[in-house]
Structures are given as C-alpha cells and as structure tokens.
Amino acid sequence: MVQAYRADTGNGGAGPQRTESRFRDLRDRLTRDRGIWRRGIVLAACSVLLTLVMLLHAQIPNTIGNLGSLTETFLPWCAVFVPLLLILGLVRRSATALIALLLPVVVWFNLFGGLLTDKSGSGGDLTVATHNVNADNPDPRGTAQQVAGSDADVIALQELPSGKVKAYESALAGRYPYHSVQGTVGLWSKYPLSDTRPVDIKMGWVRAMRTTVTTPEGAIAFYVAHLPSVRVKLHAGFTASQRDQSADALGEAISHEPLERVALLGDLNGTMNDRSLNAVTAQMRSTQGAAGDGFGFSWPASFPMARIDQIMVKGVEPMSSWTLPATDSDHLPIAARVKL
C-alpha cells in the first residue's frame, strides 16, 4: 500500500514538473539560438513602417496623386497587415519581428479601438436616414420603401435621375407629406420644410441643397449633398481635386448657416479621416463616430470597405447611428437618431 501511494504521488507531480521542464527547455533554446534575435529584421522594419504610416498619415503629401487622402480613406484597413506579419514572424521564429509587431497593434487600437465598442444610447427626438440610391437602380420604389421602413422622420436621397424622381415621390408620399428635390438630391420629411434652396458646390449642376425642417422640438437646418466621385488611377493616383473643391464650398456654406442646429446628410465620397474634407468635418460631428456601433462602412454594398456616406451634426446630440439593410444600390443606407 505504501509503494502504491508513493507511485500515485509521483505521477501526480509529474504534470507540473513536465511543464516546468518544457519552459526550461524553451528558455535554453532561446538562449542558445542567437539567430532568434537576428532573424526577421526586415519584418520588424515592415512593422515600424506600418506604425509610421498610421501615426504620420497627416504628413503624407497629397501633391503626388493625392496619396495622403487615399491612405486616410482606407486607414483602418492597415490592420489586415498585422496577421500577415504575425504569421511570417512565427514562421521565421523571430523574436525581433514579433516584438516589433506590438507597435502597429498599439497604435491601431489607439486610433480605432473606440469604434469597436457600441456607443449607441436610447432616446432622441429625431430619426434621420440617407441613401445614395444609384442612378441605375432597377427598383426605385422598392428601394424607397426599404429606407422608409427605418421609420425615419427625415430621409435624404442622392443620385436621383430625373426620369425616376416620380417613382421615389410616389413611394414616399404616404409617409412623408413634405419633400423637395433639387437637381439630383432630395429630402423627404414628416415635418414642414421652408427656406429650401440649392447649394452651389462648384460643379456646374445641382448636387446639394439646404432646407429648414420645423420639428415639434424646433427648427433644424438640413443639408443634403453628393460630392463628386473619386477614382484610383494608375497614371493619376487618387483623382479627387473636384471632390475637394466641392467639399470646401460645402463647408463654406455650412459655416454661414444662421441656425444653431444643423445636420448634413449625403454621399461625401470621403471618410472622416480624409483631410480633404476638413472644411466640413472640422465643424461637425459624425453620428457614427459619436454614437455608432462599429465602423459603419457603407460602400461598396457587396463588401463595405469605407464609410463614404455620412450623417454629421452640430448643435444636436447624436444618440445612435447604424447602417440599414442593403437595397438595389451599390451603397448601404445609413440612419441615426439625435436629440434636439
């Protein structure tokens, strides 16, 4: 019996001993394998470069192909390089590469970690929605009804072709007795509109408008805008000069708005990180950034990679912000609830 007891005790202690032995062996291998620190220098340099891109993105010049704006548009996607560098560091068995990888991870979470949490709250006085419906949308009526299904009090639509405006008007007439279409943008409201007019964003035709919506909680100025499209071309880079000029004009118009409470709904063809939209973003808050859940990417609808559709406010408090289900457009509609 004594021998059996001793045997059981010995076996029971073998687990911790084996674990300790494994750690000792690993430590010895790390000590003997001097190459573990010399290998992976190039991978470590890549991690440092990735870190610098995120830290100094505002210093990347726009003089060559608007490279700075292009980088800022897709800046959150720097995270996709982290798993790749991690795998390569493990394959190379490089302690240097793995430790250096901590740099971009820390910086990315510092920049975007706040967007990973749900900041939405309850309450609010007004629900708004916006959608670039796509001029080639095969089902205007169905798209309009889908967006109206969000029960928004105010809906802004962009890229309205003249031949399909009546389809959108008839689909929304029952829920929204007040509306105005200016050029290729329009706004539908459950509350009266006044002082409605086009906004000149230096395009030669109307793609922006301004109106006053009088809610039970008071008046709020609404701007609806569809800034010029941008393209990524091999020979020209990120062609955004016309978009940038229109953004400056839109920002100028909003800065002269006499009402204290203002909302901007539309497709700005740019993200909140893009410095070229500073004329607008410097004076307004993104509802997604302030009260959203996640990044809220809206384009392209098939695989959203950027939030170029925006709801921005000033003088009101964002309570929640979200994307709506896909329609027949190449953009996702987005919505927000604000407190007046």
Side-chain angles (χ1 to χ4, degrees):
M1 292 294 291
V2 173
Q3 292 177 345
Y5 176 80
R6 287 176 178 169
D8 291 343
T9 303
N11 289 337
Q17 290 176 358
R18 282 197 295 269
T19 301
E20 183 179 346
S21 177
R22 290 193 191 100
F23 280 116
R24 188 182 301 115
D25 291 343
L26 177 60
R27 182 192 63 193
D28 292 342
R29 285 199 299 270
L30 291 176
T31 303
R32 291 193 302 268
D33 186 6
R34 301 294 183 182
I36 199 169
W37 301 103
R38 292 194 296 267
R39 289 192 299 267
I41 298 299
V42 173
L43 293 177
C46 290
S47 292
V48 172
L49 179 61
L50 183 61
T51 303
L52 292 175
V53 168
M54 289 188 288
L55 277 177
L56 305 176
H57 63 85
Q59 309 306 318
I60 300 174
N62 259 344
T63 52
I64 303 175
N66 283 297
L67 183 60
S69 288
L70 178 60
T71 302
E72 289 166 338
T73 297
F74 298 102
L75 196 62
W77 290 93
C78 286
V80 302
F81 295 103
V82 171
L84 176 62
L85 291 171
L86 175 61
I87 292 171
L88 293 175
L90 291 173
V91 170
R92 290 284 291 153
R93 292 186 299 168
S94 169
T96 301
L98 295 177
I99 292 173
L101 191 57
L102 291 174
L103 294 173
V105 170
V106 169
V107 171
W108 190 92
F109 273 98
N110 182 61
L111 291 174
F112 303 111
L115 294 175
L116 300 179
T117 59
D118 185 357
K119 299 178 291 298
S120 59
S122 58
D125 309 306
L126 192 72
T127 301
V128 300
T130 182
H131 190 27
N132 179 328
V133 295
N134 188 355
D136 297 323
N137 193 313
D139 185 16
R141 185 176 186 84
T143 294
Q145 291 174 339
Q146 276 187 256
V147 180
S150 65
D151 200 30
D153 300 298
V154 178
I155 290 177
L157 301 181
Q158 305 89 50
E159 210 167 296
L160 295 168
S162 58
K164 297 181 180 179
V165 168
K166 290 190 179 299
Y168 288 102
E169 289 175 332
S170 63
L172 296 172
R175 297 192 189 187
Y176 301 93
Y178 309 97
H179 87 280
S180 176
V181 174
Q182 304 285 326
T184 61
V185 299
L187 185 133
W188 280 256
S189 173
K190 294 180 180 179
Y191 306 116
L193 307 181
S194 61
D195 196 15
T196 303
R197 59 181 183 270
V199 174
D200 182 11
I201 56 172
K202 312 301 181 185
M203 291 191 64
W205 70 96
V206 178
R207 286 198 4 174
M209 62 175 285
R210 181 259 182 228
T211 190
T212 299
V213 177
T214 304
T215 76
E217 288 74 29
I220 176 172
F222 273 87
Y223 286 78
V224 183
H226 181 195
L227 297 188
S229 299
V230 296
R231 298 286 186 269
V232 180
K233 300 178 180 179
L234 291 177
H235 66 281
F238 195 54
T239 57
S241 58
Q242 189 178 22
R243 189 278 313 265
D244 298 347
Q245 294 169 7
S246 291
D248 291 341
L250 178 61
E252 181 73 12
I254 293 173
S255 69
H256 291 113
E257 172 57 48
L259 292 184
E260 179 182 351
R261 295 184 287 197
V262 185
L264 168 63
L265 313 178
D267 173 8
L268 303 190
N269 273 306
T271 68
M272 293 296 293
N273 295 319
D274 191 339
R275 76 192 71 170
S276 296
L277 299 185
N278 279 350
V280 176
T281 58
Q283 57 181 319
M284 307 191 80
R285 299 174 68 191
S286 162
T287 58
Q288 184 68 24
D293 180 9
F295 288 92
F297 294 149
S298 63
W299 177 89
S302 57
F303 187 82
M305 296 183 65
R307 186 180 178 88
I308 63 175
D309 302 276
Q310 307 289 351
I311 298 175
M312 299 185 202
V313 295
K314 69 175 180 178
V316 302
E317 185 66 25
M319 303 304 296
S320 57
S321 187
W322 63 96
T323 56
L324 296 170
T327 68
D328 282 322
S329 172
D330 56 341
H331 291 244
L332 292 178
I334 61 175
R337 188 155 181 81
V338 299
K339 183 178 181 179
L340 302 181

